[in-house]
């Protein structure tokens, strides 16, 4: 296990640098947006709606682009496809590194919306597929946890940097780090061939040029079929392929439902939580950074230390359920927060909530074969992106309404409570998951 993780070190460095460049700007972008759109105000409906629109458009693009990139990475390699999202993510940061005035902000907004369609989900999707290529099923959950822990460590480092740097310098450093991540990946990351012997019977099978699939004529009327590599590996993933996955594996369909509601909640949190804290407790950049720093430290400790220890004892399915339920409790507490210390205290639950994503990805990776990892992870990312389209359409207007003077009842955290209900639905679905290894010998081949 240690030797295999060493082989992933260059991927982990790339993930860290990429995450660092993105998370550095996260605590400050709310203030930059408010200053550009509604200077001198603590509540701005226009900022909430524009953030929600950007998130929805990003989701629409990701639904289409992420499965394609994941599928192409099965053909051309993870490294080649990873170059695309890493490169395009540099340009929006460079704009605000130059200036954060209103005109430059709108330029950043448009370009960020377009580039996020490619980069938002693709980097994590390809990273999970790369790990699945190199780690056996038995050890994969721990590896995914470590990968997520590296991402959380970049979250901590980025948040700390934002706490110490000025707004203008933050974007300059972020743009530089983003460029370093791309160059480092191109120089050091190597594509590796996955180990077929470590994988159980998949739902989707890729076939080599000489592989024949025989059906016993005594039990079936199907003729012997010769499958070419072009038919199984060279086609672009379609909606029909996704539907085939959902039909052939109850586990995959259940994971997809859980992923949808989890992403619906995450998208709602991204679209509304910062604005809720600003309107409710007058948070600014430094308070955001402190809160995110606590969240990141808790998540990093959980994924790097606790998850590798817990996986051999507690299955991924149980960790998934625990994480979702604790996420619901977290949102419940934040929605009824009576003092500004409550959001800080609730970050302790992040130790559990960060287990959701690596558990989902680990269960997903075990449902497909070695040459289908990009497709499967891309499908899950696509479903998550679809949830991110819907989420701001629901939570942005809801947040703006309950933070305004025209709210039907005095409950500023109502939208946060609704986010908690989405996690609760995901929790109920997660307890039904039975992640058994597929043993059906008549698995369908994507033709």
């Amino acid at each position: 296990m240690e030797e295999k993780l060493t082989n992933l070190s260059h991927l982990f460095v790339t993930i860290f640098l990429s995450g660092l460049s993105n998370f550095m700007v996260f605590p400050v972008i709310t203030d930059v947006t408010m200053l550009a759109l509604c200077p001198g105000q603590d509540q701005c409906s226009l900022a909430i709606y524009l953030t929600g629109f950007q998130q929805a458009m990003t989701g629409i693009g990701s639904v289409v682009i992420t499965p394609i990139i994941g599928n192409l990475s099965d053909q051309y390699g993870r490294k080649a496809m990873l170059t695309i999202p890493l490169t395009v993510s540099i340009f929006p940061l460079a704009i605000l590194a130059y200036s954060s005035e209103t005109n430059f902000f709108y330029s950043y907004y448009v370009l960020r919306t377009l580039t996020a369609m490619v980069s938002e989900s693709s980097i994590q999707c390809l990273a999970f597929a790369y790990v699945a290529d190199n780690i056996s099923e038995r050890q994969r959950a721990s590896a995914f946890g470590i990968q997520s822990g590296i991402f959380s460590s970049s979250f901590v480092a980025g948040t700390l940097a934002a706490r110490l740097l000025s707004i203008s310098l933050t974007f300059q450093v972020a743009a530089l780090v983003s460029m370093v991540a791309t160059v480092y990946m191109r120089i050091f990351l190597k594509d590796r061939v996955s180990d077929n012997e470590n994988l159980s019977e998949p739902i989707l099978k890729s076939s080599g040029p000489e592989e024949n699939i025989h059906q016993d004529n005594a039990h079936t009327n199907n003729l012997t079929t010769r499958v070419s590599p072009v038919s199984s590996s060279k086609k672009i993933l379609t909606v029909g392929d996704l539907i085939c996955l959902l039909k052939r594996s109850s586990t995959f369909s259940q994971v997809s439902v859980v992923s949808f509601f989890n992403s619906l909640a995450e998208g709602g949190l991204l679209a509304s939580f910062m604005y809720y804290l600003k309107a409710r407790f007058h948070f600014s950049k430094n308070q955001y950074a402190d809160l995110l720093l606590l969240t990141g430290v808790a998540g990093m400790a959980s994924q790097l230390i606790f998850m590798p220890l817990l996986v051999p004892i507690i299955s991924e399915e149980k960790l998934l359920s625990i994480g979702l339920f604790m996420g619901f409790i977290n949102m419940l507490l934040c929605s009824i927060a009576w003092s500004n210390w409550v959001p800080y205290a609730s970050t302790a639950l992040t130790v559990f909530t960060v287990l959701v994503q690596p558990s989902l990805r680990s269960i997903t990776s075990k449902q497909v074969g070695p040459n289908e990892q990009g497709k499967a992870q891309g499908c899950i990312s696509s479903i998550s992106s679809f949830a991110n389209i819907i989420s701001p359409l629901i939570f942005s207007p809801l947040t703006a309404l309950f933070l305004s003077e025209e709210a039907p009842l005095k409950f500023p955290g109502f939208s946060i409570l609704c986010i908690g209900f989405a996690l609760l639905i995901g929790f109920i679905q997660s307890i039904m998951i039975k992640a058994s290894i597929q043993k059906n010998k008549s698995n369908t081949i994507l033709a």
Side-chain angles (χ1 to χ4, degrees):
M1 178 66 173
E2 292 181 2
E3 181 180 352
K4 291 185 177 181
L5 289 177
T6 301
N7 294 334
L8 298 176
S9 59
H10 294 310
L11 175 69
F12 291 157
V13 172
T14 302
I15 291 173
F16 178 84
L17 293 174
S18 173
L20 178 62
S21 66
N22 287 322
F23 290 131
M24 282 178 67
V25 305
F26 191 66
V28 304
I29 195 62
T30 300
D31 282 349
V32 171
T33 304
M34 295 285 288
L35 185 62
L37 302 178
C38 305
Q41 300 182 28
D42 285 336
Q43 194 277 329
C44 181
S45 296
L46 177 60
I48 296 174
Y49 283 120
L50 281 180
T51 301
F53 176 78
Q54 183 183 58
Q55 189 176 332
M57 294 304 298
T58 298
I60 292 173
S62 297
V63 165
V64 177
I65 295 173
T66 304
I68 294 176
I69 290 180
N71 188 38
L72 291 175
S73 74
D74 290 331
Q75 306 169 32
Y76 302 109
R78 316 299 180 199
K79 180 178 179 177
M81 291 297 104
L82 196 56
T83 304
I84 299 173
L86 286 176
T87 302
V88 300
S89 63
I90 298 171
F91 301 108
L93 297 173
I95 292 177
L96 287 186
Y98 181 77
S99 175
S100 59
E101 293 180 0
T102 302
N103 291 337
F104 287 95
F105 170 79
Y106 280 116
S107 299
Y108 161 83
Y109 178 85
V110 173
L111 190 58
R112 169 62 182 168
T113 302
L114 295 175
T115 58
M117 294 179 183
V118 179
S119 61
E120 191 75 16
S121 301
S122 298
I123 294 175
Q124 284 296 303
C125 166
L126 295 173
F128 280 120
Y130 188 92
V131 171
D133 289 341
N134 292 273
I135 302 295
S136 65
E137 283 188 11
R138 185 174 58 86
Q139 299 171 322
R140 199 172 290 163
S142 297
F144 282 156
I146 293 172
Q147 177 189 324
S148 298
I150 298 295
F151 199 64
S152 295
S153 67
S154 71
F155 181 86
V156 173
T159 304
L160 184 60
R163 184 71 171 82
L164 300 176
L165 299 174
S166 65
I167 290 179
S168 60
L169 190 57
T170 296
F171 285 99
Q172 293 170 5
V173 174
L176 178 62
V177 172
S178 184
M179 288 186 281
V180 171
T182 306
V183 173
Y184 182 92
M185 185 276 298
R186 290 301 305 170
I187 294 175
F188 295 105
L189 189 67
K190 305 295 182 184
D191 276 323
R192 299 181 186 277
V193 179
S194 57
D195 185 0
N196 294 355
E197 295 179 358
N198 289 328
L199 292 153
S200 59
E201 195 73 20
I203 298 171
L204 306 176
K205 286 184 178 180
S206 60
S207 52
E210 302 300 327
E211 179 180 0
N212 289 330
I213 300 175
H214 297 280
Q215 298 291 342
D216 190 344
N217 291 331
H219 296 87
T220 180
N221 294 324
N222 291 338
L223 296 176
T224 301
T225 305
R226 192 176 192 83
V227 181
S228 68
V230 174
S231 64
S232 63
S233 64
K234 290 294 183 184
K235 71 179 268 196
I236 297 298
L237 195 66
T238 65
V239 175
D241 298 334
L242 176 58
I243 294 174
C244 175
L245 268 174
L246 296 175
K247 286 183 177 180
R248 291 293 174 178
S249 170
S250 60
T251 299
F252 191 88
S253 61
Q254 289 168 339
V255 168
S256 300
V257 173
V258 174
S259 180
F260 175 82
F261 283 103
N262 181 62
S263 296
L264 188 70
E266 288 181 347
L269 204 61
L270 185 64
S272 60
F273 192 57
M274 295 297 190
Y275 296 104
Y276 163 70
L277 292 177
K278 192 170 189 66
R280 183 78 173 85
F281 301 114
H282 308 289
F283 271 35
S284 64
K285 177 181 80 77
N286 289 341
Q287 283 75 44
Y288 292 142
D290 292 339
L291 183 64
L292 294 173
L293 189 60
L294 289 173
T295 301
V297 169
M300 180 177 63
S302 177
Q303 291 168 329
L304 290 177
I305 300 174
F306 299 128
M307 188 169 185
L309 297 176
L310 290 175
V311 166
I313 304 172
I314 306 176
S315 64
E316 299 106 306
E317 307 91 86
K318 292 180 181 178
L319 290 175
L320 176 63
S321 298
I322 292 171
L324 289 166
F325 184 73
M326 290 302 176
F328 164 70
I329 299 298
N330 188 10
M331 292 299 99
L332 177 62
L333 290 174
C334 289
S335 69
I336 60 173
W338 55 93
S339 177
N340 60 1
W341 62 264
V342 176
Y344 290 103
S346 67
T347 58
L349 296 175
T350 304
V351 172
F352 302 101
T353 60
V354 295
L355 302 177
V356 172
Q357 197 61 230
S359 297
L360 275 173
R361 297 293 184 162
S362 177
I363 296 171
T364 299
S365 72
K366 295 179 181 180
Q367 306 306 305
V368 296
N371 297 322
E372 305 287 354
Q373 291 297 328
K375 293 183 179 71
Q377 300 295 346
C379 284
I380 294 298
S381 295
S382 179
I383 291 169
S384 297
S385 298
F386 179 67
N388 285 332
I389 299 172
I390 300 174
S391 183
L393 301 179
I394 299 172
F395 295 111
S396 291
L398 201 61
T399 302
L401 175 62
F402 278 86
L403 292 180
S404 69
E405 296 180 354
E406 290 79 23
L409 67 149
K410 190 174 177 58
F411 190 2
F414 182 75
S415 61
I416 308 301
L417 181 62
C418 292
I419 292 171
F421 287 146
L423 290 171
L424 186 61
I425 295 172
F427 163 73
I428 294 172
Q429 178 62 49
S430 72
I431 61 179
M432 304 176 187
I433 292 179
K434 295 180 180 179
S436 58
I437 302 300
Q438 301 298 318
K439 296 297 183 183
N440 188 355
K441 298 298 182 181
S442 60
N443 291 320
T444 300
I445 299 172
L446 289 181

